[in-house]
């Protein structure tokens, strides 16, 4: 399986993550293209219309690299955020980016493909260095000793009130449907962020980032 890394930032991020593009399509040569060539990439010089046809963006910024999707990594026993059926690539990529910035592992159940070009762009390359781990249920998370905790729009406790030892698996659902009730029932606790009464809910990626940050502060203050 292969995917695209589009633009100099993602191509550079791939190299930094020891992912060498198989092919690199470029209009102009340069230092980054030279680095790819030295690393073993096949460099293919193309015209602007061809680059536009290859890319998934309307006005692509070259170069565009083709990478082989790395093998799935194993789950670690660390703080983990789980994206559940988040279909919007922008939201999933932003959640991956936030998880990487805050030092959390990320897993995904359904939803958008974390290796799609749109998710890679929204993650600002974090998916390349801290790839999400696909799972189909809570069982793999439970098997490594993670304690599942749900995020809900209402009815849960505030993040600062969460008790218990050991790393958690923080489940974040989509804005449209939230978490499936069956998954919430399997969780040790439910967390709800306090927000203004006239605001219905938060973007899934924003909510996930806020809860991850709140839980990190809670741990470091204990």
């Amino acid at each position: 399986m292969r995917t695209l890394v589009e633009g100099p930032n993602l191509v550079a991020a791939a190299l930094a993550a020891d992912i060498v593009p198989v092919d690199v399509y470029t209009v102009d040569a340069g230092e980054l293209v030279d680095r790819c060539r030295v690393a073993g990439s096949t460099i293919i010089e193309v015209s602007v219309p061809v680059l536009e046809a290859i890319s998934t963006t309307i006005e692509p910024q070259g170069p565009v690299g083709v990478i082989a999707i790395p093998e799935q990594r194993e789950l670690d026993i660390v703080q983990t955020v789980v994206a559940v059926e988040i279909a919007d690539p922008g939201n999933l990529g932003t959640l991956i980016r936030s998880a990487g910035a805050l030092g959390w592992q990320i897993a995904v159940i359904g939803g958008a493909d974390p290796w799609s070009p749109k998710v890679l762009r929204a993650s600002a390359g974090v998916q390349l260095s801290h790839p999400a781990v696909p799972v189909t249920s809570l069982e793999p998370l439970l098997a490594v000793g993670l304690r599942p905790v749900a995020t809900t729009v209402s009815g849960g406790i505030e993040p600062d009130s969460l008790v218990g030892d050991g790393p958690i698996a923080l489940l974040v659902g989509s804005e449209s449907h939230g978490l499936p009730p069956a998954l919430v029932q399997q969780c040790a606790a439910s967390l709800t962020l306090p927000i203004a009464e006239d605001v219905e809910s938060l973007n899934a990626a924003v909510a996930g980032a806020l809860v991850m940050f709140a839980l990190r502060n809670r741990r470091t203050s204990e």
Side-chain angles (χ1 to χ4, degrees), residues 20-156:
V20 178
V22 178
D23 299 315
V24 173
Y25 295 86
T26 182
V27 174
D28 301 308
E31 186 268 339
L32 179 58
V33 172
D34 289 340
R35 286 172 55 198
C36 291
R37 180 184 289 107
V38 171
S41 303
T42 298
I43 309 302
I44 304 168
E45 296 187 9
V46 297
S47 64
V48 171
V50 171
L51 192 70
E52 291 175 343
I54 294 169
S55 177
T56 64
T57 59
I58 296 176
E59 296 182 356
Q61 183 182 12
V64 173
V66 178
I67 64 169
I69 295 175
E71 292 184 7
Q72 180 177 325
R73 58 187 292 267
E74 298 294 326
L75 287 167
D76 294 322
I77 310 174
V78 296
Q79 296 286 85
T80 302
V81 61
V82 186
V84 179
E85 298 293 346
I86 295 182
D88 183 85
N91 283 341
L92 179 58
T94 301
L95 189 61
I96 291 171
R97 182 178 185 179
S98 298
L102 294 171
W104 284 57
Q105 176 176 245
I106 185 161
V108 294
I109 297 177
D113 179 359
W115 286 104
S116 73
K118 289 184 178 180
V119 173
L120 290 175
R121 290 198 302 273
S123 78
V126 172
Q127 169 65 15
L128 297 163
S129 56
H130 297 80
V133 181
V135 295
T136 57
S137 67
L138 296 187
E139 276 66 27
L141 302 161
L142 294 168
V144 298
L146 296 173
R147 180 167 59 108
V149 173
T151 56
T152 55
V153 174
S154 61

